[in-house]
Every structure is written in structure tokens, then in C-alpha cells.
Amino acid sequence: MTKQIVISALTIGAIILGTNNAKAQNTTATTTVNITLNDVISIDAGSAAIGNTVDFNYATAADYNSDQTITKANSLKVTSTKNFNVKVKAGGANFLNGTNTIPVNVLTIKAATASGTMGGTKNAVVLSATDQNLVTNAPLGSALTLNLDYTIPAAKSSSSDILGKPAGTYTQTVTYTATAL
């Protein structure tokens, strides 16, 4: 019986001493968080230049004898992680209506007076089939907008570039390209 008392006492003592010597639990944890960046430049959805049209209508003598300007809000919406340029060009040398042509240089494209949120140096571009800088050194940013004026000056609409051409709709594509610097 004394043996049982001694064993019980030792067991109780081991339990008591064992719980006092238990190691403390962790109270902090460390996690690594990575942010991986890639350079991005994009003409974003919501740009009026994507799938939109600009329609000039010459119905009266006054139309042929005056400047016609069509302003398109949010023509371009660009997101870029670096400064960038925007270039513009026509898909060919002429507006086409079957075999009938009007040279693309009748059209001037430039930033509207209220040009939007895109910075940089803005240039008026007489359209051609070669890339030309519409905006240079625009600062990086997200969803930067550019409102554009499309103008056919009276000097072109009242010249043989347009006068004397068969009636109809003359069409050409205009391509905008944003390029990171």
C-alpha cells in the first residue's frame, strides 16, 4: 500500500511538474507577400475609337464651303504603367467608295479643346497612311481619356479633293497605337 501511495505521489508530482515545464505556444506568424508587376499598355474598352464611326455629311453648298468638325468624347482611353506615345494612321491612302477615291489627307485629327485626362504633347495630324504622333510623352496612368476633333477644313471640302466626286459614302479605317516609352 505504501508502494501505491509513493507511485501515486510520484505520478501527481510528475504531472504537476510537467505542466509547469510545458513550452509556450507561438504568438506570431510571418507570411511573405509578393506583388509581381508587369509593364502594361492598353487602349481600354470604352474607347469610342473601338468599333465606332465618325460620319461627315455634305448635303448643302454651305457644308462644302465651311469647316466641319466632329468631336468624339472618350475617343481613346489608355492605361499605361510607363509614359507613352499615341500614333495614328489611315488604313490606306484614300477613302474608298468602290473605285472612287478621296485622299485621306482631307482629314485632320487633333485633341479637342476639352481634351480629357491624358497629358503629354498633343499634335494636330493631317491623316496619312503612315504612323504620326498624335500624343507624345503622355504620363503614365489608368484610364486616361483623350477627346478628339475630326475636322475636314473648307479648303479641302471645297477643292477637287472632294468636289466633283460621285455621290456616296467614302470609307477608310483609322488606327490608333499606344506605345510605351
Side-chain angles (χ1 to χ4, degrees):
M1 172 117 148
T2 53
K3 225 182 205 185
Q4 287 177 342
I5 293 175
V6 171
I7 292 173
S8 294
L10 287 174
T11 303
I12 292 172
I15 291 172
I16 291 172
L17 289 174
T19 56
N20 286 341
N21 290 334
K23 292 189 178 182
Q25 297 178 1
N26 287 338
T27 58
T28 61
T30 303
T31 298
T32 300
V33 175
N34 298 317
I35 299 175
T36 303
L37 300 177
N38 291 297
D39 288 334
V40 169
I41 187 158
S42 170
I43 296 177
D44 300 339
S47 295
I50 297 175
N52 206 335
T53 60
V54 177
D55 296 314
F56 287 92
N57 187 16
Y58 288 88
T60 68
D63 293 336
Y64 285 94
N65 293 310
S66 60
D67 292 351
Q68 283 202 31
T69 298
I70 297 174
T71 301
K72 289 288 187 174
N74 297 320
S75 292
L76 296 174
K77 191 184 285 187
V78 176
T79 296
S80 182
T81 57
K82 297 192 178 294
N83 287 7
F84 61 96
N85 291 338
V86 176
K87 294 185 179 205
V88 61
K89 72 176 182 176
N94 297 297
F95 291 94
L96 303 173
N97 176 2
T99 59
N100 302 308
T101 63
I102 295 174
V104 294
N105 69 0
V106 300
L107 180 64
T108 299
I109 301 172
K110 67 176 185 160
T113 303
S115 63
T117 60
M118 187 181 298
T121 303
K122 296 167 184 84
N123 306 297
V125 172
V126 174
L127 191 60
S128 76
T130 15
D131 271 328
Q132 298 181 73
N133 284 321
L134 183 63
V135 180
T136 55
N137 200 27
L140 59 90
S142 180
L144 302 170
T145 59
L146 180 63
N147 305 322
L148 292 176
D149 282 345
Y150 295 81
T151 301
I152 297 177
K156 293 291 186 174
S157 60
S158 64
S159 76
S160 61
D161 287 339
I162 292 179
L163 288 177
K165 304 291 180 173
T169 301
Y170 292 75
T171 303
Q172 185 53 264
T173 59
V174 176
T175 301
Y176 299 92
T177 305
T179 307
L181 299 178

